[in-house]
Amino acid sequence: MINKTVSSVEEALQGLSSGNTLMLGGFGLCGIPENAIARLVQLGVTSLTCISNNAGVDDFGLGLLLQKKQIKKMISSYVGENDEFERQMLSGELEVDLIPQGTLAERCRAAQAGIPAFYTPAGYGTEVAEGKETREFDGKMYVLEHAFKADFSLVKAWKGDAAGNLVFKGTARNFNPVMCGAAKITVAEVEELVPLGTLDSNQIHIPGIFVQRIFQGKNYEKRIEQRTVRERR
């Protein structure tokens, strides 16, 4: 069995450089690769193109990279929680490609499956479809969308083993699974790195064939974007 374990986040991100295109798992702040993002800030890489459902918040997640002006372009679906993102977009400092959420997920999955392109009805007749090929199927119009091409995919899982098999927990099983294997190199950071044979094969969400490097993360904050509680009575 091939051992894909690396000793640290530093080793996991070897070869990542300025100008790379990155996929980053997570939804909001749920299931984001916190250790990998922190390392990107330390590396000081710039001109990054980031494919992610959202851009984090101002002081956490991808918001940390935006603060340092390390991101050149964001390809996202929802970015409403980040004031710095809004400022950079409106000022022209940041290139932005907003994509319907289902299309974003499918463009990741298509890359994972080796499918170069697909047709979807989402966005037809809107700005989303401008400049793209359209085609009619059974009386309904569809837009041609292409699979993403990325250098690195950075994902976060609950548990993983040395072979790269992954298990996600709860809603952290969001964009992470479809980004595994969707880039040239997939790096998985996990909360628990367990011995081979520990994971129930029937419970594995992503097989190790989709992962090139895996390491155990640490010091997870797991922040909540908007905490809503009832008044104490």
Side-chain angles (χ1 to χ4, degrees):
M1 183 68 71
I2 298 175
N3 187 347
K4 300 178 180 179
T5 305
V6 293
S7 60
S8 64
V9 63
E10 290 80 10
E11 186 178 353
L13 298 188
Q14 281 187 359
L16 193 153
S17 60
S18 295
N20 278 177
T21 296
L22 312 178
M23 288 184 172
L24 298 108
F27 188 100
L29 298 181
C30 177
I32 65 172
E34 295 179 30
N35 285 248
I37 292 173
R39 178 58 181 166
L40 290 174
V41 175
Q42 294 173 353
L43 285 172
V45 288
T46 59
S47 299
L48 298 173
T49 295
C50 293
I51 302 167
S52 177
N53 176 67
N54 63 288
V57 293
D58 288 300
D59 62 343
F60 198 62
L62 290 180
L64 297 172
L65 294 172
L66 286 171
Q67 285 182 350
K68 300 288 186 179
K69 306 290 182 65
Q70 292 175 259
I71 300 177
K72 177 187 71 174
K73 181 177 182 178
M74 279 296 310
I75 301 175
S76 301
S77 176
Y78 174 74
V79 291
E81 302 293 336
N82 195 310
D83 292 335
E84 178 60 16
F85 178 101
E86 179 183 6
R87 188 197 67 75
Q88 290 187 25
M89 181 179 70
L90 294 178
S91 67
E93 299 173 41
L94 180 69
E95 296 177 48
V96 178
D97 190 359
L98 293 177
I99 301 176
Q101 196 164 85
T103 302
L104 182 73
E106 187 64 9
R107 289 179 69 181
C108 293
R109 195 195 68 81
Q112 179 190 68
I115 298 171
F118 60 91
Y119 285 97
T120 174
Y124 177 76
T126 72
E127 292 182 10
V128 170
E130 289 182 3
K132 297 177 182 177
E133 179 185 333
T134 59
R135 184 174 173 181
E136 182 179 344
F137 292 91
D138 298 324
K140 188 172 183 178
M141 295 303 297
Y142 291 77
V143 181
L144 182 67
E145 296 283 1
H146 292 266
F148 287 126
K149 296 179 181 179
D151 299 295
F152 279 81
S153 182
L154 310 178
V155 302
K156 157 79 182 331
W158 176 38
K159 292 183 180 181
D161 62 23
N165 298 307
L166 303 178
V167 177
F168 302 95
K169 187 175 184 179
T171 52
R173 186 182 176 186
N174 41 57
F175 277 84
N176 283 299
V178 292
M179 289 184 173
C180 292
K184 295 176 183 176
I185 297 175
T186 294
V187 175
E189 60 176 82
V190 296
E191 293 181 41
E192 296 182 40
L193 188 58
V194 300
L196 283 171
T198 303
L199 299 176
D200 180 348
S201 58
N202 292 310
Q203 301 301 318
I204 290 173
H205 296 136
I206 288 294
I209 192 69
F210 290 110
V211 177
Q212 281 71 50
R213 304 172 189 172
I214 186 170
F215 71 97
Q216 182 163 318
K218 57 185 179 180
N219 302 323
Y220 287 109
E221 294 186 46
K222 297 185 181 179
R223 292 197 198 179
I224 297 175
E225 285 178 88
Q226 296 185 11
R227 186 185 297 274
T228 303
V229 297
R230 291 180 296 178
E231 292 184 5
R232 180 178 295 175
R233 295 179 180 177

